[in-house]
């Protein structure tokens, strides 16, 4: 079978061509989509250490290396490995590019990367009796939840990503990719869609994932009058730090109203980044907070498909009652309370969230109506990730703009 001549325009505007076996995935629209997103996100960054999973024809690997980035590429496909090595050699990039034949499930990180990029296989598995691919095509194109479970857990153990590193995945709106996004959601990753496109009838998203505030601290108290009060008064707290009370004795809501909680409910306060626009527009920070709380609950109940943005359909049982009531079946199941303190040039904003998880007495609602076996720790992880999406600059992209929030 004769080789295929392929061409790809790198970031310097040069159209480069080379030959690949027909069993290797060629540069296509999704390849260009990934390259365009990377170009935008890396334009002002110095040389980065990048791991690319599944380089295929080596097009994106080459584009990154030509910009001075050091790339390690792994692929289970031996012919893809050979092609990517050939691309490196023919363009004088052998010192910039290292290529290994390796499965992501056997990957043991021996160094830390600034970015892990994966144009992940995004087709749903072939149903029994349907026409199948050749084995190499099926490996290259069929999405695997287990691969992402391994990668996520490996990184969560402190391997692979630097402190401010992030993942960049290309995923589709197929059922398997929705399961993949759940893997990262349940592991507490913050998510941000950087761009979207259509390719071959598939909706694709370039998804940035990062560990929210990896150096943040959690202050767990057996009992506190108010977690907001502790978060406001404790010296030296930084954005992302959190105060948790197992028992809150004097919880409060808007206008000094009381908020009663029970053991097993969520009673926490987060220190928010003090971004100028947030302080100047209190209604925006209020709305961001409400959206973050609702997003987190949707992740916890499994109703969010890929990432936090305006495209997500809300659960038809959940709602908001402005400015700070969280509603389920028209009953209040939780609330948010924002408080700020200014001392000289220093300011601090804290977001307190109280949510009924255990069965609540009438007339109050509870998330047990949607998730009877729900775990408060898991909800807290989702909440931290959602708050990061709406407030934290993060390693790539930016929080939703005021216009997107509204």
């Amino acid at each position: 079978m004769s080789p295929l001549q392929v061409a790809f325009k790198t970031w310097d505007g040069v159209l480069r061509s080379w030959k690949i076996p027909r069993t290797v995935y060629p540069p296509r629209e999704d390849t260009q989509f990934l390259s365009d997103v990377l170009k935008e996100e890396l334009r002002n960054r110095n040389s980065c250490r990048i791991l690319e999973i599944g380089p295929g024809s080596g097009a994106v690997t080459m584009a990154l290396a030509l910009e001075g980035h050091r790339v390690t590429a792994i692929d289970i496909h031996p012919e893809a490995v050979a092609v990517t090595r050939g691309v490196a050699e023919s363009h004088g990039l052998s010192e910039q590019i290292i290529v290994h034949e390796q499965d992501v499930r056997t990957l043991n990180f021996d160094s830390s990367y600034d970015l892990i990029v994966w144009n992940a296989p995004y087709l749903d598995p072939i149903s029994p009796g349907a026409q199948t691919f050749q084995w190499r095509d099926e490996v290259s194109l069929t999405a695997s939840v287990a691969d992402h479970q391994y990668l996520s857990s490996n990184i969560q153990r402190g391997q692979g990503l630097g402190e401010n590193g992030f993942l960049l995945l290309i995923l589709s709106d197929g059922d398997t990719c929705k399961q993949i996004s759940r893997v990262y959601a349940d592991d507490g990753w913050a998510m941000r869609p950087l761009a979207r496109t259509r390719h071959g009838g598939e909706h694709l998203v370039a998804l940035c994932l990062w560990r929210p505030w990896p150096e943040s601290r959690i202050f767990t108290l057996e009992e506190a009058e108010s977690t907001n009060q502790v978060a406001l008064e404790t010296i030296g707290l930084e954005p992302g730090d959190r105060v948790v009370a197992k028992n809150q004795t004097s919880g409060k809501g808007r206008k000094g109203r009381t908020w009663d909680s029970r053991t097993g409910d969520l009673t926490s306060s987060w220190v928010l980044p003090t971004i100028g626009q947030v302080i100047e527009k209190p209604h925006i920070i209020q709305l961001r907070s409400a959206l973050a709380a609702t997003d987190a609950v949707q992740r916890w109940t499994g109703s969010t498909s890929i990432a936090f943005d305006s495209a997500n359909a809300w659960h038809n049982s959940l709602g908001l009652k402005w400015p700070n009531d969280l509603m389920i079946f028209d009953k209040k199941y939780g609330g948010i309370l924002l408080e700020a303190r200014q001392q000289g040039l220093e300011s601090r904003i804290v977001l307190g969230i109280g949510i009924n998880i255990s069965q609540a007495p009438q007339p109050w609602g509870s998330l047990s109506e949607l998730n009877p076996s729900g775990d408060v720790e898991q909800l807290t992880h989702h909440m931290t990730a959602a708050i990061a999406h709406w407030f934290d600059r993060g390693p790539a992209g930016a929080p939703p703009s005021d216009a997107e929030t509204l």
Side-chain angles (χ1 to χ4, degrees), residues 302-313:
S303 59
T304 295
S305 60
I306 282 189
F308 304 123
D309 70 349
S310 57
N312 285 329

Side-chain angles (χ1 to χ4, degrees), residues 275-285 349:
I275 303 171
Q277 68 172 32
V278 169
I279 299 174
E280 295 165 8
K281 301 177 181 178
H283 65 288
I284 294 294
I285 187 174
I349 304 174

Side-chain angles (χ1 to χ4, degrees), residues 122-125 143-145 171-182 202-203 305-306:
Y122 50 77
L123 297 183
D124 288 331
S144 168
V145 176
L171 295 177
S172 79
D173 59 354
D175 290 339
T176 305
C177 282
K178 290 177 182 178
Q179 294 176 42
I180 288 169
S181 69
R182 287 296 314 169
E202 299 284 338
H203 292 271
S305 60
I306 282 189

Side-chain angles (χ1 to χ4, degrees), residues 214-275:
E215 298 301 312
S216 64
R217 295 164 294 174
I218 302 174
F219 298 86
T220 302
L221 308 174
E222 289 295 325
E223 185 174 281
E225 291 187 0
S226 163
T227 56
N228 265 19
Q229 181 180 348
V230 175
L232 283 170
E233 295 179 353
T234 302
I235 297 173
L237 294 192
E238 300 290 339
D241 287 346
R242 175 162 48 95
V243 176
V244 181
K246 295 182 180 179
N247 181 34
Q248 185 172 246
T249 59
S250 299
K252 57 185 177 179
R254 187 166 169 262
K255 296 183 178 179
R257 298 186 180 98
T258 60
W259 174 259
D260 296 326
S261 59
R262 291 163 301 284
T263 301
D265 290 342
L266 187 149
T267 49
S268 297
S269 296
W270 285 259
V271 179
L272 299 180
T274 52
I275 303 171

Side-chain angles (χ1 to χ4, degrees), residues 51-120:
L51 172 67
E52 184 183 9
I53 302 173
S57 66
V60 172
T61 313
M62 173 177 58
L64 290 167
L66 286 169
E67 295 298 313
H69 302 293
R70 303 184 68 84
V71 186
T72 298
I74 66 166
D75 204 303
I76 194 174
H77 193 328
E79 290 175 312
V81 170
V83 167
T84 304
R85 284 175 178 162
V87 167
E89 292 170 4
S90 63
H91 289 82
L93 298 170
S94 295
E95 293 188 2
Q96 295 288 115
I97 298 173
I98 300 171
V99 190
H100 300 294
E101 181 182 337
Q102 193 167 20
D103 186 347
V104 69
R105 300 189 204 186
T106 64
L107 179 61
N108 292 312
F109 291 105
D110 55 8
S111 59
S112 184
Y113 297 95
D114 303 305
L115 167 63
I116 298 175
V117 58
W118 193 359
N119 185 3

